[in-house]
Amino acid sequence: MSLRVWQKVQEVLRCQLACLGVVVLLGCGGHAVQPEDTHLPDDKVDITPWSDHFGGPITHDQPLGREAIVWRDISSRMSISCAYDPRLARAAHEYASALSADLSVSEYGDLDRLRHVVLKAGVPDYAMEMFVADVDPAGIASLVALMTRSKATWTHCGLAVSTSETGTHVVLIRINHIVALSPFPTRVARGSEIRLVGKIGDRRVATVSPYIGHPQGDISRLPDVPVRPSGQFQMHIFLKDPGRTEVELLVDRGRGPEPAVLVPIFVDTEPDPRPIVAPSGIAENDHLSPNVSLYRFLNTARIRMRLTPLKRDSRLDAVAEAHNLEMIDRRFFGHISPYRGTLRERLKQNNLSPAASAENIARSHSILRIHRNLMASPSHRIHLLDASFTHVGLDVARDGDEWVATQVFARW
């Protein structure tokens, strides 16, 4: 079989859904209603049931049969630092079955389906990446080449092998498991309180920042939860409203806050039967510049929520551009620059002192995907739909085959 890497689909927490901006405005909370989500068509409904819990210990089962052969082949060609995770294997099998049944979806749907099948398998981790390739020497070699290009840290992997009319393919999913969570339910009754208990091995993490996306669209930022010297933490979340509640946990490993966990909790409702495509408001505009496209996406979302559009501010544009280009040139991704510091410090260096400010950063393969990922994350959407902000500066720049974006929000 000739070389043919079917697709490379990435959903990287730290890179694709971005890391939370530094919130200078204290007591930040959401108040705007979230735009209505859209679903993939009915013929894409999944039949595999949702796991009854997220988190829990990861078993050390190893792949069998064809998967074991392919896993050994990949392992022999590269140094694989990620442990095999049977949950990711189940997710890969479900995704592979969609491909085999010719249920592949659009580019954007592929990314949303990836997160959907991973969540259904009970995996709460945010950073994830997927590859699909032909199972032949050339296909595996190209798969390994793509995997080794990533500079991110990946801790766990799972794969599936499927055969269809177009050939035999391997689907490989890998994640960055930052927070180890004790099991907690995917479905609860209205008025329930869930207890989140976790452990973080990175000693740089001093607190966990929880964000809650409520079914009505409001967003709450809960008080930071301290991490004990042992790495353990716990919190309680009260779920009073029926519907889909999003729970997002952020950590700071020295470069500013970044999402580590993002899960839906279904309160007196059934889990999503098919992937949700985060709303964009408008379609991709190839004829517009990247900056104008992202700015239009932002204000379209605000207008739909009956919020005042944000005005572009050239001074904030300069701050966003400097940070964006520095991340690309210096090969880091985070809100705290090792050279210019936090957002507050970078604003001060430009003689700017807004009454409130915040920052979103993101990277992905398209401007529309950047916006969709930001809207899908409560800790980013809270900035995009903050009624108190009046101005925004932004910059979008190319970094290889991806776009990198920085948004700086302010109230003067």
Side-chain angles (χ1 to χ4, degrees):
M1 184 181 298
S2 62
L3 166 63
R4 183 164 60 89
V5 176
W6 242 48
Q7 60 187 147
K8 174 195 175 188
V9 185
Q10 294 185 333
E11 181 79 358
V12 184
L13 162 117
R14 184 174 60 91
C15 297
Q16 296 222 335
L17 242 183
C19 301
L20 170 70
V22 178
V23 181
V24 178
L25 176 63
L26 299 179
C28 185
H31 43 271
V33 177
Q34 177 185 0
E36 182 179 357
D37 293 325
T38 57
H39 293 76
L40 297 182
D42 289 339
D43 63 349
K44 308 295 190 293
V45 173
D46 301 306
I47 58 175
T48 304
W50 276 73
S51 171
D52 60 2
H53 68 273
F54 291 114
I58 301 174
T59 63
H60 299 289
D61 298 343
Q62 293 299 305
L64 301 173
R66 294 187 301 175
E67 280 82 8
I69 296 173
V70 174
W71 179 251
R72 286 196 296 268
D73 190 6
I74 295 173
S75 301
S76 68
R77 296 168 184 252
M78 64 180 292
S79 175
I80 293 186
S81 58
C82 59
Y84 197 80
D85 186 339
R87 303 173 305 168
L88 295 177
R90 291 197 297 272
H93 273 285
E94 179 166 350
Y95 196 98
S97 68
L99 294 177
S100 299
D102 196 26
L103 293 182
S104 58
V105 292
S106 68
E107 179 182 28
Y108 303 123
D110 284 335
L111 293 165
D112 294 302
R113 176 174 288 278
L114 167 61
R115 186 159 293 280
H116 179 71
V117 298
V118 171
L119 286 170
K120 285 180 66 178
V123 179
D125 304 278
Y126 190 77
M128 61 185 68
E129 185 173 54
M130 183 181 73
F131 303 91
V132 181
D134 287 340
V135 178
D136 63 14
I140 297 300
S142 293
L143 172 65
V144 169
L146 289 171
M147 292 176 65
T148 54
R149 282 171 51 186
S150 175
K151 296 180 175 61
T153 299
W154 305 103
T155 61
H156 293 76
C157 302
L159 61 79
V161 176
S162 66
T163 300
S164 66
E165 294 179 357
T166 57
T168 301
H169 317 289
V170 56
V171 176
L172 188 146
I173 301 174
R174 58 186 183 180
I175 63 170
N176 186 12
H177 186 60
I178 301 173
V179 178
L181 290 171
S182 297
F184 61 98
T186 55
R187 309 168 182 84
V188 299
R190 182 179 181 180
S192 298
E193 184 178 68
I194 62 171
R195 177 171 173 257
L196 293 184
V197 179
K199 186 172 184 178
I200 302 174
D202 194 324
R203 294 183 177 275
R204 293 173 297 179
V205 179
T207 60
V208 175
S209 302
Y211 284 76
I212 308 298
H214 300 284
Q216 296 84 357
D218 294 350
I219 306 169
S220 300
R221 180 179 180 179
L222 304 184
D224 287 350
V225 177
V227 176
R228 299 171 184 169
S230 63
Q232 295 180 323
F233 68 90
Q234 65 174 338
M235 68 185 73
H236 295 264
I237 299 175
F238 182 67
L239 301 165
K240 62 178 181 178
D241 299 317
R244 185 181 194 268
T245 297
E246 299 164 328
V247 177
E248 185 174 23
L249 305 181
L250 281 73
V251 300
D252 185 345
R253 297 186 291 172
R255 291 289 173 85
E258 60 177 302
V261 169
L262 176 58
V263 296
I265 304 295
F266 300 97
V267 183
D268 277 350
T269 190
E270 288 301 309
D272 302 322
R274 53 192 183 273
I276 290 180
V277 180
S280 62
I282 55 178
E284 189 91 60
N285 288 288
D286 293 333
H287 65 284
L288 297 177
S289 71
N291 284 355
V292 172
S293 290
L294 189 59
Y295 179 58
R296 183 170 294 188
F297 285 137
L298 163 62
N299 274 337
T300 298
R302 291 179 65 89
I303 291 170
R304 288 180 61 181
M305 295 301 98
R306 300 181 180 178
L307 296 172
T308 302
L310 298 179
K311 299 177 181 179
R312 284 287 293 276
D313 188 315
S314 59
R315 299 169 299 174
L316 298 177
D317 282 341
V319 174
E321 180 181 15
H323 188 62
N324 216 32
L325 296 180
E326 184 177 65
M327 287 193 296
I328 295 173
D329 294 340
R330 303 282 190 167
R331 311 310 303 168
F332 75 94
F333 189 78
H335 294 285
I336 300 178
S337 164
Y339 311 97
R340 299 185 183 181
T342 65
L343 173 60
R344 183 192 294 270
E345 292 168 335
R346 287 181 271 120
L347 288 169
K348 186 176 181 180
Q349 291 162 15
N350 284 266
N351 298 315
L352 300 176
S353 301
S357 62
E359 180 179 73
N360 284 340
I361 60 174
R363 63 186 303 149
S364 189
H365 64 276
S366 76
I367 310 305
L368 177 57
R369 189 71 239 177
I370 283 177
H371 176 71
R372 289 188 180 208
N373 288 340
L374 291 170
M375 288 294 292
S377 164
S379 63
H380 297 84
R381 195 166 69 242
I382 200 171
H383 300 153
L384 294 164
L385 303 181
D386 191 326
S388 70
F389 287 135
T390 57
H391 293 76
V392 66
L394 54 87
D395 182 72
V396 181
R398 199 75 181 174
D399 183 18
D401 59 357
E402 291 184 318
W403 294 100
V404 180
T406 298
Q407 298 171 324
V408 178
F409 304 89
R411 183 180 79 242
W412 297 106

